[in-house]
Amino acid sequence: MAKRSACLFTILRRHKNPNRSKKREEVMENPSLINGSDYFHFLKLKEVAQKPSMEVPTPPMIHGIDGFQSQKPNELSREKSNIIENHDFSNGLDSWNANCCDAFLSVQETRPKSCKHHAVVTNRSQNWQGLEQDITHKISSGSTYTVCARVGVSGTKLQGNAEVIATLKREYQHSGTKYYNIARTTVSKGKWVNLEGTFVLRDKPDRVVLYLEGPNPGVNILIESVLVFTHLQDKILPCVYAADDNIILNPDFEDGVNNWSGRGCKIAVHASMGDGKIIPKSGKFFASTSERTQSWNGIQQDISGKVQRKLAYEVSAFVRIFGNNVTSSTVRATLWVQTPDSREHYIGIANTQATDSDWVQLQGKFLLNGLQSKVVVYLEGPPPGTDILVDGFIVKHAEKTPPSPPPVIENPDYGVNIITNSNLSDGTNGWFPLGNCSLNVMTGSPHILPPAARDTLGPHEPLSGRCIHTTNRTQTWMGPAQMITDKVKLFVTYQISAWVRLGPGASGPQNINVALGVDSQWVNGGQVEISDSNQWHEICGSFRIEKQPAKVMVYIQGPAPGVSFKLAGLQIFAVDRQARFRHLRRQTDKIRKQDVTLKFPIPDSSSMHPTMVIVKQIQNSFPIGSCISRTNIDNEDFVAFFVKNFNWAVFGNELKWYWTESQKGNLNYQDADDLLKLCDDNNISARGHCIFWDVDNTVQDWVKNLNKTDLGAAVQNRLTSLLNRYKGKFKHYDVNNEMLHGSFYPSRLGQDIRANMFKTANQLDPSATLFVNDYHVEDGCDTRSTPEKYISQILDLQQQGAPVGGIGIQGHIDSPVGPVVCSALDKLGCLGLPIWFTELDVSSTNEYIRADDLEVMFREAFAHPAVEGIMIWGFWELFMSRENSHLVDAEGEINVAGNRLLELKKEWLSHSHGHVDDKGEFCFRGFPGTYEVIVVTDGKKTVKKFVVEKGDVPLVVPINP
């Protein structure tokens, strides 16, 4: 810590403390493990046993209970309302009092203006002595307050860590004084940390005082700022660094390796390397690692106390690799975090493909949800023996990304085919062979549009019956092609539809794919797997382009070299989503609403005024839920949004086997328990995701290394442990995730293992509905997971006695087209099982397009009779599995897509009003859920609640005012 200036003045007032009760009621916060992508979690769990450990401070105490309780913000508000006078000591010690001790002001001239001053509380002879401020007339009962302070400690008697506590004192004229701890944190010498907590005042004491206390006698408390807000969202930040300041010390290595250290390896600073061939990207120096023996070894810096929870930070550095004959490797920026209750977790910030030939930039963002006692940022990734080189390391508060403007789309020409000479009336004009293949026009193809195109376009003129026959193919990518650069418009969603057929001589199943070459990028426009050559098959898909390309080519490819194929009636057309929405609104009204009759006592004929009824739906009971993770629930803003807007939950990783038992016999159910408690406390139902995962690279190493007998026993233990522990707690289970895309367990234990998993799970918890769950079932872009293959898999499981009770469609989809999604739902709906979208997310750089995509999926699902629930795969930025898919930004602002979801939920609430008829009845159509009815008779108003249960017959609800 920099040298401090001398004492400026000492506060004169010393106030005696009344006899205080030492009894405290405490709630321990349990911050999370990991956030980020599933696979990153899995890798870190595999490595965690090898990581170096660090000293663990005492856990914090937060949120007093008796008279105060933990609260969640009701709204993401913009009001700023700090109630502390002279919060940053810019006016000396005005408004502050020393409680039976002394205090003086210290000034550090080298710091930014807003952070120069801090108070030093000294001559403390009791733990409870500290600095206080009377806030009696600034708070009101029933409001939620957030305390946020920046604190440190010093003194010759300081040994190791010290504890600083924010306490509230309430004085009552007739009932004495009560004390409640709001928050506490641990601090070490030379460090500044954040002290944060919330409270709500249930009554109105005669006097209320906030003060900071805690360290042992003789230890000084240092305070930079103290803030108390009625709204958390836009609080003034504690004194840390200006928004543009890099919190990394010695970022350009001009001070050697000062402030840096090796993480399991050695580090050094260079002006050049490799006989002068490697020089800094900028400045005079760069750093390197050496003697790396593990992939996680690298260069690191401790940034504890410099990062603020619930703020987004951006990280950037220039990196390259050197040595060990490795020319290219992934370099990752990772955050190691230790929580006050000694948990460790790793946050993946960014990764890039580094080379040994040039510097490349590594960029990413992170956010901390909960309180942290230790935070270290480091670089890792390349194989052992390969050095990491780094130059210009920056970590700073991320600037808010301005909202994207709505795209301007002129003359989208909905429904118009952009393919030239699609009907082949002019031979192959407009077409060309991609590669040295041959194109010939033939007859004998279908005259009708493929079903998905017909559903979108409606009545359409017949196809010509002509097709292109592609022969003499020597590569899989060879086929008919056409340039469409000038015909494709940005941000327009295009549907693709065609008939395809294999030529004679094909051996085994063949894929045929409509592909787009967008500059150097390959885009999947839909594909189909064909095993026969005697019939035509539909191929459908979609795409959208969001950046102006120089060249766009569509081509048909896929079968093995030497295999010919035919193409007929290729259609690429812009989709009119609003027209589809109008249809879906009508469909929704038919299948989701039901007739309701409110039955009142027969009106009194002597009444001068008829009874007036106002019906308002409070909550729709249709399941709409979200993925949550343990780390998320340390963020009050996240919890507030989640609890307010969702009635179901699914855990991102915390129930997966690689999480609950990353090492054999070492069980971790605490994270799942914490999430389940949040759900139970808020009457939110939960899905169990997942018992097993059949994809090879998601299976722990210790499981992979088991022999057949031991693996069978481990599978049984997993089932018994999980389902006995949570019996009756989860309404659904995804039994064996992604069985269309993996086969780890059948390949080791035989084909009957999958059915046996379902049978055993049902025996252990008969109350849970057991689901299959897979991806790309609904979009036509994956031949491994077509609706037909999904149906076949489900029927096969049922024939083996597996009690499959539901169909999970994950819904990680791009550029969704309603009729294509609906077609898949129609096919799966024939099984008679409930369908749930279990992991829905959509992605677009433009928030308006993202909102449109989300609306497509929600409306298609809600309008389909087989769909019984929708789960989105998260909503908070930096905690999504896909880029540009969030609904709320990292610091709590709801974006266009998030507001679109809220608008849909509002649309799906039923309201009605009118008069009770002479039969004492009031009739309306409404969605199932909870209602409030206001009954007005002769000027008297009565409010009642009632519930409309889902059903197929008209519902009669008696109302007795």
Side-chain angles (χ1 to χ4, degrees):
M1 181 176 289
K3 185 176 180 180
R4 299 182 179 276
S5 66
C7 167
L8 298 184
F9 61 86
T10 302
I11 191 164
L12 300 177
R13 288 167 290 184
R14 284 172 161 238
H15 294 274
K16 293 183 179 180
N17 195 45
N19 293 331
R20 54 182 291 175
S21 169
K22 292 297 180 180
K23 180 180 179 182
R24 302 188 186 273
E25 300 186 27
E26 304 176 356
V27 178
M28 299 305 296
E29 185 179 28
N30 291 309
S32 70
L33 290 176
I34 308 173
N35 61 347
S37 68
D38 285 354
Y39 191 55
F40 183 81
H41 294 171
F42 173 59
L43 292 176
K44 288 303 171 190
L45 284 165
K46 290 171 66 177
E47 295 176 4
V48 71
Q50 300 173 312
K51 298 292 184 179
S53 60
M54 294 195 177
E55 184 178 355
V56 180
T58 306
M61 175 175 61
I62 63 169
H63 308 320
I65 296 177
D66 182 13
F68 298 91
Q69 64 181 12
S70 173
Q71 291 287 309
K72 310 174 188 68
N74 293 324
E75 299 288 342
L76 298 180
S77 172
R78 287 289 170 265
E79 181 183 351
K80 295 182 179 179
S81 50
N82 178 27
I83 65 173
I84 295 296
E85 297 289 339
N86 187 24
H87 74 279
D88 59 359
F89 305 100
S90 56
N91 292 324
L93 292 173
D94 287 355
S95 304
W96 292 97
N97 297 318
N99 186 5
C100 300
C101 56
D102 296 326
F104 64 85
L105 191 70
S106 178
V107 178
Q108 187 177 344
E109 296 293 345
T110 59
R111 304 195 72 187
K113 182 178 179 180
S114 61
C115 303
K116 280 184 178 181
H117 309 90
H118 70 269
V120 181
V121 186
T122 188
N123 294 332
R124 300 174 59 255
S125 59
Q126 301 289 334
N127 294 66
W128 49 262
Q129 293 173 350
L131 200 62
E132 68 180 22
Q133 186 170 135
D134 190 320
I135 57 174
T136 306
H137 302 297
K138 299 172 185 176
I139 61 174
S140 57
S141 60
S143 296
T144 300
Y145 294 90
T146 297
V147 178
C148 184
R150 185 79 169 161
V151 297
V153 290
S154 68
T156 56
K157 294 187 177 181
L158 176 62
Q159 296 181 350
N161 295 324
E163 196 171 55
V164 179
I165 307 169
T167 301
L168 204 70
K169 177 170 67 174
R170 296 188 303 162
E171 297 179 1
Y172 298 87
Q173 184 175 356
H174 301 294
S175 58
T177 302
K178 295 182 180 181
Y179 299 86
Y180 296 99
N181 295 140
I182 302 166
R184 81 169 60 190
T185 189
T186 53
V187 195
S188 59
K189 187 175 183 179
K191 299 290 185 182
W192 290 95
V193 301
N194 300 324
L195 176 66
E196 298 182 347
T198 59
F199 68 90
V200 63
L201 191 65
R202 287 183 173 176
D203 53 15
K204 185 61 177 174
D206 296 297
R207 185 168 182 255
V208 182
V209 176
L210 173 74
Y211 65 99
L212 301 184
E213 59 166 333
N216 290 331
V219 176
N220 301 330
I221 305 175
L222 313 181
I223 310 169
E224 280 188 340
S225 62
V226 183
L227 308 152
V228 176
F229 296 88
T230 54
H231 292 274
L232 191 62
Q233 177 64 19
D234 274 330
K235 62 180 181 290
I236 302 170
L237 300 180
C239 187
V240 188
Y241 291 89
D244 294 332
D245 285 346
N246 183 9
I247 68 174
I248 293 293
L249 301 177
N250 188 24
D252 299 314
F253 306 100
E254 293 184 354
D255 194 15
V257 295
N258 189 33
N259 301 113
W260 295 93
S261 61
R263 191 174 184 84
C265 62
K266 294 182 178 180
I267 61 171
V269 169
H270 311 268
S272 67
M273 284 179 63
D275 298 325
K277 295 179 181 178
I278 301 175
I279 59 174
K281 175 68 177 178
S282 62
K284 299 179 181 180
F285 304 101
F286 61 91
S288 73
T289 65
S290 61
E291 300 183 23
R292 297 178 63 252
T293 60
Q294 303 288 338
S295 63
W296 52 265
N297 295 153
I299 186 170
Q300 66 180 5
Q301 185 168 133
D302 188 330
I303 56 173
S304 304
K306 299 178 183 178
V307 286
Q308 177 102 1
R309 65 185 289 256
K310 300 195 294 184
L311 288 184
Y313 291 86
E314 58 187 13
V315 176
S316 118
F318 285 95
V319 296
R320 63 191 294 170
I321 58 174
F322 179 79
N324 203 28
N325 295 318
V326 176
T327 59
S328 178
S329 179
T330 298
V331 173
R332 297 192 298 268
T334 304
L335 212 64
W336 176 83
V337 178
Q338 188 179 63
T339 63
D341 61 351
S342 79
R343 298 190 186 193
E344 299 179 1
H345 65 275
Y346 297 85
I347 300 173
I349 303 171
N351 67 81
T352 189
Q353 198 67 21
T355 70
D356 65 347
S357 59
D358 202 359
W359 295 97
V360 296
Q361 191 169 22
L362 177 70
Q363 289 181 297
K365 292 182 179 181
F366 70 88
L367 177 140
L368 299 176
N369 283 304
L371 297 171
Q372 318 296 334
S373 61
K374 199 82 169 176
V375 183
V376 175
V377 63
Y378 67 99
L379 299 181
E380 61 172 335
T386 302
D387 298 340
I388 303 172
L389 314 185
V390 57
D391 191 8
F393 206 113
I394 297 173
V395 177
K396 65 179 183 178
H397 181 235
E399 295 182 4
K400 278 189 176 291
T401 304
S404 48
V408 178
I409 303 172
E410 298 180 356
N411 302 319
D413 295 327
Y414 294 126
V416 176
N417 190 6
I418 65 174
I419 293 295
T420 300
N421 190 25
S422 174
N423 63 9
L424 304 173
S425 59
D426 194 15
T428 58
N429 185 41
W431 298 89
F432 62 88
L434 186 62
N436 297 321
C437 57
S438 301
L439 306 182
N440 296 288
V441 176
M442 300 179 61
T443 59
S445 62
H447 287 271
I448 62 172
L449 283 177
R454 192 162 62 246
D455 291 343
T456 304
L457 297 173
H460 195 275
E461 63 184 21
L463 300 180
S464 67
R466 290 183 287 267
C467 64
I468 292 178
H469 187 204
T470 305
T471 57
N472 300 323
R473 300 174 61 255
T474 59
Q475 300 289 336
T476 58
W477 49 263
M478 290 183 177
Q482 191 169 131
M483 300 303 300
I484 57 173
T485 309
D486 299 332
K487 300 176 182 179
V488 177
K489 298 181 179 180
L490 295 185
F491 296 109
V492 173
T493 301
Y494 288 90
Q495 182 173 341
I496 294 176
S497 174
W499 291 112
V500 291
R501 181 175 178 176
L502 287 178
S507 176
Q510 302 288 327
N511 282 1
I512 299 183
N513 167 233
V514 178
L516 294 105
V518 183
D519 293 333
S520 60
Q521 182 184 6
W522 174 82
V523 176
N524 185 358
Q527 57 185 325
V528 64
E529 183 182 86
I530 304 175
S531 300
D532 60 80
S533 59
N534 56 7
Q535 61 179 327
W536 290 89
H537 296 262
E538 176 186 16
I539 190 168
C540 63
S542 62
F543 73 94
R544 181 174 56 237
I545 297 174
E546 299 189 359
K547 293 183 180 179
Q548 187 61 54
K551 180 176 66 175
V552 182
M553 176 180 66
V554 60
Y555 60 104
I556 294 80
Q557 61 158 0
V563 176
S564 65
F565 65 89
K566 300 174 183 179
L567 168 72
L570 177 63
Q571 305 270 328
I572 300 181
F573 53 90
V575 176
D576 185 352
R577 289 173 155 180
Q578 293 303 319
R580 177 73 179 176
F581 291 166
R582 289 191 288 273
H583 161 73
L584 294 174
R585 288 188 184 97
R586 294 190 294 269
Q587 179 74 1
T588 295
D589 188 82
K590 291 179 182 179
I591 72 162
R592 295 295 176 194
K593 288 185 177 181
Q594 59 192 98
D595 293 322
V596 181
T597 299
L598 301 184
K599 188 70 174 177
F600 296 84
I602 300 297
D604 186 349
S605 59
S606 65
S607 174
M608 297 181 61
H609 303 286
T611 299
M612 178 71 179
V613 174
I614 302 171
V615 176
K616 179 181 179 181
Q617 187 170 13
I618 301 170
Q619 185 178 41
N620 190 317
S621 60
F622 183 85
I624 294 179
S626 175
C627 167
I628 60 174
S629 296
R630 177 58 188 84
T631 182
N632 295 143
I633 67 173
D634 294 323
N635 185 332
E636 305 93 317
D637 300 340
F638 179 100
V639 171
F641 186 89
F642 169 68
V643 168
K644 181 178 180 180
N645 295 295
F646 300 100
N647 55 13
W648 276 70
V650 62
F651 307 163
N653 294 288
E654 288 78 359
L655 214 64
K656 291 170 180 169
W657 196 5
Y658 67 62
W659 189 284
T660 62
E661 195 176 4
S662 60
Q663 303 295 323
K664 185 176 181 180
N666 185 16
L667 296 176
N668 167 31
Y669 288 119
Q670 185 60 55
D671 299 316
D673 290 348
D674 292 344
L675 291 171
L676 199 56
K677 183 180 185 304
L678 173 71
C679 294
D680 290 343
D681 289 347
N682 292 280
N683 197 30
I684 292 174
S685 301
R687 302 189 73 251
H689 175 79
C690 51
I691 304 175
F692 300 102
W693 196 344
D694 225 344
V695 177
D696 189 271
N697 65 8
T698 67
V699 180
Q700 312 94 296
D701 284 343
W702 73 264
V703 175
K704 288 182 179 180
N705 293 332
L706 297 174
N707 59 40
K708 183 177 180 179
T709 301
D710 292 341
L711 177 59
V715 166
Q716 181 61 46
N717 289 340
R718 162 68 172 169
L719 284 160
T720 303
S721 172
L722 183 73
L723 276 83
N724 280 343
R725 181 183 183 88
Y726 295 114
K727 187 172 184 178
K729 297 292 188 180
F730 292 98
K731 292 191 175 182
H732 299 171
Y733 278 106
D734 296 329
V735 176
N736 191 9
N737 200 34
E738 298 175 3
M739 292 184 289
L740 292 172
H741 290 89
S743 58
F744 173 81
Y745 294 101
S747 68
R748 306 292 184 93
L749 298 174
Q751 294 303 312
D752 60 347
I753 184 59
R754 289 173 166 173
N756 289 339
M757 289 173 174
F758 277 84
K759 294 175 187 177
T760 304
N762 183 60
Q763 291 167 1
L764 292 169
D765 190 352
S767 68
T769 303
L770 304 181
F771 275 70
V772 292
N773 191 50
D774 229 304
Y775 61 93
H776 285 329
V777 177
E778 76 288 1
D779 56 14
C781 72
D782 190 342
T783 59
R784 296 171 295 178
S785 51
T786 63
E788 292 79 7
K789 288 187 176 180
Y790 211 12
I791 290 169
S792 177
Q793 182 181 86
I794 294 167
L795 291 175
D796 181 61
L797 287 168
Q798 290 178 329
Q799 288 169 4
Q800 296 179 63
V804 179
I807 302 171
I809 300 175
Q810 291 184 10
H812 303 293
I813 192 168
D814 293 306
S815 313
V817 171
V820 175
V821 174
C822 185
S823 175
L825 294 175
D826 287 345
K827 293 172 183 176
L828 293 169
C830 293
L831 290 175
L833 296 173
I835 298 172
W836 280 58
F837 279 97
T838 55
E839 303 179 19
L840 176 63
D841 58 21
V842 295
S843 176
S844 174
T845 56
N846 186 286
E847 293 174 5
Y848 289 86
I849 297 299
R850 192 186 314 162
D852 290 346
D853 285 353
L854 192 71
E855 185 172 359
V856 167
M857 295 305 296
F858 266 82
R859 287 199 183 277
E860 291 294 338
F862 198 56
H864 200 283
V867 176
E868 297 191 5
I870 306 169
M871 308 291 296
I872 63 172
W873 202 241
F875 53 85
W876 205 271
E877 185 184 14
L878 302 183
F879 297 91
M880 307 292 293
S881 63
R882 300 172 69 191
E883 291 287 334
N884 302 310
S885 61
H886 60 278
L887 312 184
V888 182
D889 76 14
E891 296 180 7
E893 185 170 348
I894 305 171
N895 63 25
V896 176
N899 280 317
R900 186 73 59 87
L901 174 59
L902 300 185
E903 290 165 8
L904 285 171
K905 287 172 60 64
K906 185 177 180 181
E907 178 185 322
W908 294 334
L909 295 174
S910 302
H911 308 297
S912 185
H913 66 276
H915 292 92
V916 176
D917 64 19
D918 54 6
K919 298 179 182 179
E921 296 178 349
F922 178 78
C923 302
F924 70 98
R925 279 182 60 78
F927 297 108
T930 304
Y931 286 78
E932 180 181 87
V933 58
I934 301 173
V935 184
V936 182
T937 305
D938 292 333
K940 296 180 179 180
K941 183 172 72 173
T942 305
V943 180
K944 297 284 185 178
K945 284 188 177 181
F946 65 93
V947 175
V948 174
E949 300 288 353
K950 180 181 177 182
D952 299 326
V953 297
L955 181 68
V956 177
V957 180
I959 302 292
N960 297 308

